[in-house]
């Protein structure tokens, strides 16, 4: 059995960070195991084509949700990156940290070292922000964070619409209390996606103390008593083992990390025994507490031909593809997001609970050309993300076979508070897009349609159309109670030599996209693993 100091399982948003930072210690040996392959497809590098990449089978796990009891039994795809860089290789590149009160809530629940003042230095260490160095931003980190370009006509009009509804323009969403409207920053460098693989791993691949194994599916954690001493992984039908002198670090994300714990005998004992797995540790919280941001969607016809459908005309698209390949500029260098805002669904709330997005494109958008085929037409697509879900889902085993995907129940809209918040998301969308400032560019609502006005009609639309924002968290949550899986140092309760560093450790999901917090967790985890003093708060 080969030996190393640290084994990092999963080269995703956090795993690439952990492996790169651990290997900075010259005398420390690190093995990074990734089930997927290289990020070689040209569509991956283009920020525009992230939705196409997300649905490519070769770069994903192919996970599907269980029939959701509160969505009329509907199932939906749950894209997760099975590729170097993980979800940072297939996501929409949006860089949102969450709100200070989110992290302060973790601290106040007994998780010392996870308050906003504690984690902000790790956000700063990770990034090179186009804004330069400040109390909020860093200018010397591996990750490039750059702005989206505003649509010259639509952005000013929709900022005016926001002001009409009482919201200001917000120059930076990565502040302590983001509330208002603007465009987000993204993990893009020179017009190309800047995943954690490209930002953290590519510059250090030549390090002799870092070994990266691709196409390596970890099947179980190896234990001696209550200590994790290594892992077994499979590649090409052959099983290999590697031993950790110091620690094993799981960075598989909110679905894969709990699955691996369960396969290795850690989780609810009765559920493990049902699959013929001998429990090492009865840990009831493994796989429970699943949280995700549900999205309420609406669709609108544009009043003027100023949307992204113009750019999808085949000759323009080909020219812009060539321009992007040569210069990194043009329509392929970013997504057609019109505006984003953080708003409150009710005046009684202490902070925003809805993340509101408008894109000047149809979900059915496609290349077109006269006499060849028609385009989808000039449309707007909107999403209102519910940022503080009350409903909880779960992840459990489908079988003891490590090749079988886990069973994932999102359990969206189980709680009335969530249904109410999503309804208000649709009603806010309507107020926004029928405002005087937006009216010159927005013709009428296509779906669900103005006839869907009362709670019953909106709930029916939501049951039929609500989708996941692909922000799953909290299935190996930090905490001190019986259902907690990890402690404030990311150690798995009840065993030695095993930590988790990914979004599964969040006790509650942050209010915003989860890629930036995953990177922060990876940065902080590296210091914990190496016994370094935390960065000054």
């Amino acid at each position: 059995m080969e030996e190393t100091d640290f084994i990092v399982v999963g080269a995703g948003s956090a795993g690439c960070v952990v492996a790169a930072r651990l290997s900075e210690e010259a005398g420390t040996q690190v093995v990074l195991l990734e089930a997927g392959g290289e990020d070689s497809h040209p569509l991956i590098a283009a920020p525009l084509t992230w939705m196409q990449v997300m649905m490519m089978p070769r770069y994903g796990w192919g996970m599907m949700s269980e029939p959701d009891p509160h969505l009329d039994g509907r199932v939906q795809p749950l894209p997760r990156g099975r590729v170097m860089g993980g979800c940072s290789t297939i996501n929409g590149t949006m860089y949102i940290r969450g709100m200070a009160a989110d992290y302060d809530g973790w601290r106040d629940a007994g998780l010392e070292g996870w308050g906003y003042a504690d984690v902000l230095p790790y956000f700063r260490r990770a990034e090179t922000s186009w804004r330069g160095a400040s109390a909020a931003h860093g200018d010397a980190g591996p990750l490039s964070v750059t702005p989206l370009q505003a649509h010259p006509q639509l952005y000013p009009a929709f900022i005016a619409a926001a002001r009409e509804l009482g919201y200001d323009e917000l120059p930076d969403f990565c502040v302590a209390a983001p509330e208002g409207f603007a465009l987000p920053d993204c993990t893009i460098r020179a017009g190309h996606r800047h995943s954690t693989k490209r930002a953290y791993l590519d510059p250090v691949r030549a390090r002799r103390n870092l070994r990266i194994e691709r196409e390596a599916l970890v099947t179980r954690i190896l234990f001696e008593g209550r200590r994790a001493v290594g892992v077994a992984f499979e590649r090409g039908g052959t099983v290999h083992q590697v031993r950790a002198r110091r620690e094993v670090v799981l960075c598989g994300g909110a679905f894969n990390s709990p699955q691996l714990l369960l396969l290795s005998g850690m989780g609810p004992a009765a559920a493990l025994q049902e699959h013929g797995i001998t429990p090492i540790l009865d840990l009831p919280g493994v796989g429970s507490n699943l949280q995700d941001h549900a999205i309420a969607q609406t669709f609108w016809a544009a009043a003027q031909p100023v949307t992204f459908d113009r750019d999808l005309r085949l000759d323009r698209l080909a020219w812009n593809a060539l321009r992007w390949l040569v210069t990194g500029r043009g329509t392929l260098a970013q997504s057609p997001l019109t505006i984003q805002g953080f708003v409150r669904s009710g005046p009684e709330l202490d902070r925003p609970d809805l993340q509101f997005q408008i894109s000047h494109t149809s979900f059915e958008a496609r290349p077109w050309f006269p006499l060849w085929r028609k385009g989808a037409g000039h449309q707007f697509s909107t999403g209102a993300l519910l940022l503080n879900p009350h409903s909880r889902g779960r992840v459990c085993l489908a079988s003891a076979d490590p090749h079988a995907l886990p069973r994932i129940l999102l359990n969206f809209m189980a709680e009335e508070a969530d249904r109410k918040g999503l309804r208000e998301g649709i009603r806010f969308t309507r107020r926004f897009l029928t405002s005087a400032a937006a009216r010159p560019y927005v013709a009428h609502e296509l779906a669900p349609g103005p006839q869907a006005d009362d709670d019953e009609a909106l709930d029916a639309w939501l049951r039929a159309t609500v989708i996941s924002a692909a922000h799953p968290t909290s299935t190996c949550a930090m905490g001190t109670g019986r259902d907690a899986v990890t402690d404030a140092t990311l150690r798995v309760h009840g065993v030695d030599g095993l930590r988790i560093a990914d979004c599964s450790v969040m006790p509650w999901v942050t209010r915003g996209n989860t890629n930036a917090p995953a990177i922060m967790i990876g940065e902080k985890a590296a210091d914990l693993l190496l016994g370094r003093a935390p960065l000054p708060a």
Side-chain angles (χ1 to χ4, degrees):
M1 184 187 296
E2 181 187 351
E3 285 195 346
T4 186
D5 290 310
F6 293 102
I7 301 169
V8 181
V9 180
S13 295
C16 290
V17 179
V18 174
R21 291 300 191 190
L22 291 178
S23 67
E24 290 176 350
E25 294 281 321
T28 299
Q29 293 181 318
V30 182
V31 171
L32 173 62
L33 302 172
E34 167 55 42
E38 278 293 348
D39 57 340
S40 55
H41 200 288
L43 290 182
I44 288 176
L48 174 65
T49 51
W50 65 273
M51 292 188 74
Q52 287 74 21
V53 172
M54 184 176 277
M55 303 312 295
M56 293 172 74
R58 66 186 284 192
Y59 295 122
W61 288 88
M63 293 179 179
M64 296 289 295
S65 70
E66 294 280 286
D68 224 317
H70 307 285
L71 301 184
D72 296 334
R74 186 162 54 90
V75 302
Q76 58 182 293
L78 301 174
R80 298 281 90 191
R82 182 171 176 160
V83 60
M84 293 297 295
C87 290
S88 72
T89 294
I90 67 169
N91 67 7
T93 74
M94 200 174 294
Y95 186 84
I96 302 287
R97 295 176 178 173
M99 304 181 187
D102 299 336
Y103 301 101
D104 289 344
W106 299 2
R107 177 203 61 206
D108 295 346
L111 298 172
E112 184 180 352
W114 290 95
Y116 181 67
D118 303 305
V119 302
L120 179 58
Y122 290 99
F123 281 116
R124 294 180 69 249
R125 185 169 81 178
E127 71 173 357
T128 290
S129 173
W130 67 278
R131 302 172 187 276
S134 68
H137 291 285
D139 68 346
L143 190 71
S144 176
V145 179
T146 56
L148 282 181
Q149 298 301 307
H151 190 290
Q153 294 137 310
L154 295 174
Y155 182 77
F158 286 1
I159 283 293
R163 289 196 174 106
E164 198 174 316
L165 297 183
Y167 288 93
D168 291 329
E169 185 174 15
L170 182 65
D172 185 2
F173 287 121
C174 290
V175 293
E179 188 166 6
F181 282 78
L183 284 172
D185 292 344
C186 290
T187 51
I188 297 173
R189 181 179 181 183
H192 291 66
R193 170 190 298 276
H194 211 217
S195 66
T196 55
K197 178 262 184 183
R198 299 190 179 193
Y200 282 85
L201 282 188
D202 283 354
V204 303
R205 278 180 179 262
R207 286 178 182 163
R208 305 179 85 179
N209 65 333
L210 172 63
R211 198 177 94 230
I212 301 169
E213 297 284 356
R214 298 180 295 278
E215 309 289 348
L217 176 67
V218 176
T219 57
R220 64 190 174 98
I221 304 163
L222 306 176
F223 282 89
E224 291 180 358
R226 288 285 183 91
R227 180 171 183 83
V229 296
V231 301
F233 69 92
E234 184 179 306
R235 182 170 52 204
T238 302
V239 176
H240 307 265
Q241 294 186 353
V242 59
R243 186 180 182 93
R245 288 185 288 266
R246 295 178 66 175
E247 296 195 53
V248 176
V249 190
L250 305 189
C251 301
F255 300 152
N256 293 89
S257 285
Q259 181 192 23
L260 187 55
L261 289 181
L262 294 166
L263 289 169
S264 305
M266 287 171 288
L272 295 175
Q273 290 165 344
E274 287 178 8
H275 292 288
I277 298 172
T278 301
I280 290 175
L281 182 66
D282 184 11
L283 205 55
V286 174
S288 68
N289 197 39
L290 173 61
Q291 299 166 46
D292 195 356
H293 297 142
I295 306 180
Q297 305 177 90
T298 69
F299 306 96
W300 300 70
Q304 297 187 39
V306 294
T307 73
F308 195 68
D309 201 58
R310 289 183 69 258
D311 299 288
L312 288 174
R313 183 171 141 152
L314 196 58
D315 53 346
R316 296 190 185 109
L317 187 60
W319 160 246
N320 273 295
L322 179 61
R323 180 187 177 199
W324 173 76
L325 284 169
V326 174
T327 68
R329 299 180 180 180
T331 55
L332 272 71
Q334 63 175 47
S335 298
L337 186 67
T338 322
I339 202 167
Q340 175 173 267
F342 286 88
V343 303
R344 308 182 196 206
S345 65
E348 73 282 2
L349 298 173
D350 65 346
R351 59 190 184 274
D353 63 327
L354 293 171
Q355 184 177 352
F356 176 65
Q357 298 172 341
I358 302 177
S359 296
H360 47 282
T361 187
S362 165
F363 273 21
E364 298 177 354
R366 61 184 187 179
W368 63 275
F369 198 75
L371 304 180
W372 172 47
R373 70 178 180 188
K374 293 183 178 180
H378 291 280
Q379 296 180 21
F380 295 100
S381 303
T382 80
L385 285 69
L386 185 67
L387 298 177
N388 63 331
H390 292 77
S391 305
R392 296 291 184 266
R394 57 160 172 75
V395 176
C396 61
L397 293 179
S399 119
D401 180 359
H403 299 92
L405 296 176
R407 296 174 55 193
I408 303 163
L409 177 66
L410 296 173
N411 207 30
F412 278 168
M413 301 210 314
E415 300 293 332
E416 170 59 23
D418 292 353
R419 296 191 288 274
K420 179 181 177 183
L422 290 166
R423 282 185 224 122
E424 182 52 34
I426 293 177
R427 288 172 172 142
F428 179 86
T429 303
R430 287 171 167 168
R431 292 194 297 273
F432 191 99
L433 289 179
T434 58
S435 64
R439 202 171 299 136
Y441 296 98
V442 183
H444 57 272
E445 182 179 341
L446 295 170
Q451 72 281 357
D453 189 40
D454 59 22
D455 288 358
E456 183 178 358
L458 288 178
D459 282 353
W461 167 256
L462 291 167
R463 289 195 302 272
T465 61
V466 156
I467 60 172
S468 162
H471 300 160
T473 71
S474 308
T475 51
C476 300
M478 291 188 287
T480 57
R482 180 175 180 273
D483 291 330
V485 177
T486 48
D487 65 17
T489 65
L490 305 179
R491 290 187 173 95
V492 176
H493 287 300
V495 296
D496 296 321
L498 180 62
R499 301 201 209 205
I500 302 177
D502 56 37
C503 287
S504 72
V505 303
M506 291 183 175
W508 302 283
V509 63
T510 51
R511 300 193 185 207
N513 302 61
T514 50
N515 188 52
I519 294 167
M520 176 276 293
I521 291 169
E523 287 276 6
K524 186 172 173 64
D527 279 0
L528 291 168
L529 287 156
L530 292 170
R532 293 171 174 163
L535 295 179

